[in-house]
Amino acid sequence: MTERLVRTSYVDPTVDPPEPRQGDTGLHESRQDQEGYADPLHRLHGSALHGWGVATGLGVTATIGANGIRVAPGVALDARGRLLPLAPGGHARLDDGTPVPVTGDGAALPTAGSVPESLVTVGWAETFDFAGVASGVFNTETTPVLRLRPVAGFAHDGTEVVLARVRVDPGGRVTELRHDHRRGTVISVDRVEFRRPNVAASGGATTVVPEASAEARSLREGGLVLAADRVAVEQRRGGDWKVWVDTVDGRVGVGTTQPSASLDVPDLVARDRIAVGHVRPLGRIHAVGMSGFAPENPDGTSTVSDVPLLAQSDSTAIGILNASGRESFAINVEGNLGTPDGRGVPTLFDKYDGFWHPSIALRNGRVGIGTQNPATALEVHSAGGPAAQFNGDVHVTGQITKTALTFKIDHPLDPERGYLSHSAVESDEMKNVYDGEVTLDDDGAAEIALPSWFEALNERFRYQLTPVGGPAPCLHVSRKLSGNSFAIAGGEPGSEVCWQVTGVRHDPYALAHPLVPETEKAGRELGRFLHPEAHGKAADLSIFGSVQE
C-alpha cells in the first residue's frame, strides 16, 4: 500500500530568498501536517517495512471449561500499517462497541454466544472522548476492537490480525485454544549487516569503533546467504556453543569450536567413511534418502542408491559393544560370493558366553534360527537341548509332523521332586478314540448316545465292550452306530459295562489332507536321515544339513 504525503510549508518560497512565514499555525495547517503527512508516513513505514501481524505481546489465555478469554497487552500492525496497541490504562472495544478497560493482565473478551469455531482477532478503531468537550478538550483514543470471527469465510488480508483460534461448546465454555493463523510482523529488507565493537589503534591513539562482522542477504536464485567467517549456535539462554561453522577452513564442528575435519563431532570423524575409534574405517556407511535401491549394475553390484542407511562389508557389517567395551552383537553377511547371484546370508550373531553364535539368518524370504540354510519359512536347529520352548498356549492351523509326542507334568504323587511322562497313542489312520461306562437295564441292555457331531466327524467305527464284576459271554453290540448312538445287549441286568468306540475322521479338512503312512525320500533328502545317529550314521547325514551350509 502507498499513500501521498502532503505537509504544511513553514517557509515562504514566493520571496527571494525564501524566509520563514510569520504568524501562528492554524488548525487547518495542523490537520494537514497530522492527517496528510504524519499519519500516512507512519502507515507507510509500517506496511512497507513490516507487513502485518503481531509485533509483541497480545497473548491469549483461556481456562478450559470456563467462559471467556483474556488478551494480554501488546501491539499488532494491520495491513494499512496502523498500530493496534493494547496498553494498560487504555481501552479496547468489543464488536458491539462496548468499551473494555485494559489492565496489566490485558482485556477480557466474552465467548458466550459465539460460533463453535472462532478466530480471536484485533482490528483498528478510535473512540472520541465526549467527556472532555465541556472543558474544551477534544481527545480521540486508539481503541483496538477485539472480536470472535467465524473461521469459515474469514479473509486473511490483514484488515484484522488473528491472535488465536478458539473452540467453545454450546454454553460458550472454551474447549480448545490453538495458535492457528497467528502471524508476526516482518522486516522487509534485502540485506542485514551485523556489526561488532572493536578496538582500533592508530598512531598513539586507541579507539573503540564498530566494524562489520557478518551479513545476511537474499540469494538472487531464491534463498538466503549468510556471509561470515565463523558462525556459532548456542542455547537461547546462553551456555556453550553447540555448533561451530568455520567458513574460512570449510569445517563444521558439533560440540567443538576447533573442528579438524569437514564435519567433526567428538568421537566421530566423517569424510568418505565414518570411523569410530579408528583412523581408517573398516566399513562404510552411506546415508541418503528414503526411496529404496536403484537399479543394479549388470554384475549385480549396487549403483547409487537412495537407501537411508547402507553398510558394506565382506563379513561383519555392523558390530555392537556392550557398556564395558566387550563384543556383544554383530550383523554379518555370510557366503558373500562375488557373482551377480551371490548376495550372502544376513545373519545375527551373539557372544553372550564369549563365543560367537549364529542366531537368526535370513535367506530367500525364510528365517533360520541356528541355521543359515532354512528350507521352510521358519527353521530352528538346536546345538544341544530343546530347540524351542513355549510357556503358554500354542495354536497351529495346519498339520504337525513329529517324531514322538509326549506329555510331561509334575508327578502327581511327588510334584516337588519328580515328573511323570506319557507317550501319545499312534495310528496309521486319522483315528479318534471315545469310551465310557454304562449300567444295563432290567433286560441287560443299554443305549449309548454320542455327541450330535459324532457321525459328521467319524466313519468306519470299531467297538469294544468289557463287563465289570463278572463274565458276560453274551454281551454284544445289538445295534451299530446310527443317529449318533449305538445299543448293546446280552449282559446281566443292572451290571456295569465299559465301552470304547473308535472312528476315522472324514471331515472336509481330513479328506483334503489325508494321512499317507509311507512316502519315499527324494532330492536332497535321499541318503539322509532325520536321526542319523540312531541308525549308526554320522551326524552330517542329517536331512537338515549343517547349520552353516
Side-chain angles (χ1 to χ4, degrees):
M1 183 192 74
T2 184
E3 296 184 61
R4 182 183 178 212
L5 298 178
V6 179
R7 65 176 179 83
T8 300
S9 176
Y10 294 96
V11 174
D12 184 358
T14 64
V15 299
D16 188 18
E19 60 183 31
R21 292 171 50 203
Q22 303 299 313
D24 296 331
T25 300
L27 177 60
H28 69 284
E29 293 174 320
S30 296
R31 286 189 60 189
Q32 175 68 42
D33 290 344
Q34 181 64 35
E35 298 175 4
Y37 188 81
D39 286 349
L41 179 65
H42 173 75
R43 290 193 296 267
L44 283 171
H45 178 274
S47 62
L49 297 184
H50 302 292
W52 57 269
V54 177
T56 184
L58 298 179
V60 179
T61 303
T63 300
I64 302 301
N67 289 79
I69 58 178
R70 180 167 288 275
V71 181
V75 180
L77 196 67
D78 71 8
R80 291 189 59 189
R82 296 176 297 191
L83 287 174
L84 313 176
L86 207 63
H91 296 82
R93 277 170 37 188
L94 302 182
D95 200 19
D96 61 2
T98 303
V100 178
V102 181
T103 67
D105 295 331
L109 177 60
T111 54
S114 62
V115 298
E117 290 273 353
S118 301
L119 297 174
V120 182
T121 70
V122 60
W124 186 87
E126 288 183 336
T127 301
F128 181 72
D129 183 10
F130 287 94
V133 174
S135 58
V137 177
F138 295 82
N139 287 338
T140 297
E141 178 185 2
T142 299
T143 52
V145 183
L146 298 176
R147 298 182 175 95
L148 289 174
R149 292 292 200 191
V151 174
F154 181 80
H156 296 277
D157 57 7
T159 302
E160 298 175 40
V161 178
V162 176
L163 305 180
R165 180 170 179 164
V166 63
R167 177 180 293 173
V168 299
D169 63 15
R173 292 176 290 270
V174 177
T175 61
E176 186 181 22
L177 185 67
R178 292 159 35 189
H179 58 72
D180 297 22
H181 307 297
R182 181 181 174 113
R183 57 177 278 179
T185 53
V186 298
I187 300 177
S188 180
V189 294
D190 174 76
R191 182 177 63 90
V192 176
E193 184 180 82
F194 300 91
R195 294 179 173 271
R196 67 178 183 120
N198 191 31
V199 176
S202 178
T206 301
T207 308
V208 175
V209 296
E211 69 175 19
S213 176
E215 178 181 287
R217 65 178 183 272
S218 61
L219 187 64
R220 292 184 181 276
E221 295 79 7
L224 176 68
V225 176
L226 180 59
D229 291 341
R230 287 164 292 277
V231 178
V233 180
E234 67 180 15
Q235 292 180 330
R236 183 170 177 268
R237 293 174 178 83
D240 296 335
W241 288 324
K242 304 302 181 184
V243 180
W244 179 269
V245 181
D246 189 329
T247 61
V248 176
D249 295 331
R251 295 177 178 178
V252 177
V254 179
T256 175
T257 58
Q258 296 179 336
S260 58
S262 298
L263 174 62
D264 194 346
V265 183
D267 301 324
L268 176 65
V269 178
R271 293 183 180 88
D272 175 58
R273 302 182 176 196
I274 294 180
V276 180
H278 291 280
V279 176
R280 179 69 178 172
L282 302 181
R284 175 172 294 172
I285 292 180
H286 177 59
V288 277
M290 297 290 290
S291 299
F293 281 106
E296 297 177 344
N297 293 316
D299 63 355
T301 58
S302 178
T303 58
V304 177
S305 66
D306 209 15
V307 178
L309 181 63
L310 183 67
Q312 180 181 348
S313 177
D314 291 332
S315 56
T316 301
I318 298 176
I320 297 178
L321 306 180
N322 68 2
S324 302
R326 295 182 175 88
E327 296 174 350
S328 174
F329 172 81
I331 299 178
N332 280 23
V333 180
E334 302 291 312
N336 189 12
L337 304 177
T339 66
D341 295 330
R343 306 302 173 126
V345 181
T347 307
L348 277 65
F349 285 75
D350 78 274
K351 200 176 183 181
Y352 183 81
D353 60 359
F355 299 93
W356 285 112
H357 301 279
S359 54
I360 299 176
L362 306 177
R363 184 168 181 167
N364 290 334
R366 300 187 288 265
V367 179
I369 299 179
T371 175
Q372 293 173 333
N373 188 26
T376 58
L378 174 63
E379 187 171 322
V380 181
H381 285 210
S382 172
Q389 179 171 321
F390 300 93
N391 296 320
D393 297 337
V394 177
H395 298 269
V396 178
T397 302
Q399 181 174 304
I400 296 179
T401 301
K402 43 77 180 178
T403 302
L405 180 63
T406 62
F407 78 71
K408 181 179 180 181
I409 63 173
D410 296 318
H411 200 292
L413 300 181
D414 192 4
E416 294 182 354
R417 295 188 295 176
Y419 296 103
L420 180 65
S421 299
H422 274 33
S423 178
V425 177
E426 308 286 353
S427 173
D428 62 351
E429 297 178 302
M430 300 176 73
K431 185 175 298 238
N432 294 320
V433 180
Y434 308 86
D435 58 18
E437 299 174 345
V438 68
T439 301
L440 303 181
D441 60 16
D442 293 341
D443 296 326
E447 181 169 318
I448 299 169
L450 297 167
S452 60
W453 42 258
F454 192 85
E455 288 184 87
L457 178 64
N458 299 287
E459 65 176 356
R460 295 160 55 190
F461 307 112
R462 298 177 179 89
Y463 311 86
Q464 284 193 15
L465 302 175
T466 303
V468 179
C474 296
L475 184 65
H476 64 283
V477 176
S478 60
R479 180 175 60 80
K480 295 173 69 173
L481 221 154
S482 176
N484 296 310
S485 68
F486 68 96
I488 62 175
E492 288 293 324
S495 65
E496 187 177 353
V497 175
C498 295
W499 60 268
Q500 183 183 88
V501 177
T502 65
V504 178
R505 285 177 56 182
H506 72 151
D507 57 277
Y509 183 86
L511 295 176
H513 304 83
L515 172 63
V516 181
E518 294 181 293
T519 57
E520 296 203 3
K521 297 177 182 177
R524 66 185 296 270
E525 297 180 352
L526 193 62
R528 293 179 175 268
F529 303 83
L530 292 171
H531 306 286
E533 296 94 332
H535 295 275
K537 304 295 183 180
D540 59 6
L541 290 178
S542 169
I543 283 177
F544 302 108
S546 169
V547 297
Q548 301 296 330
E549 185 178 334

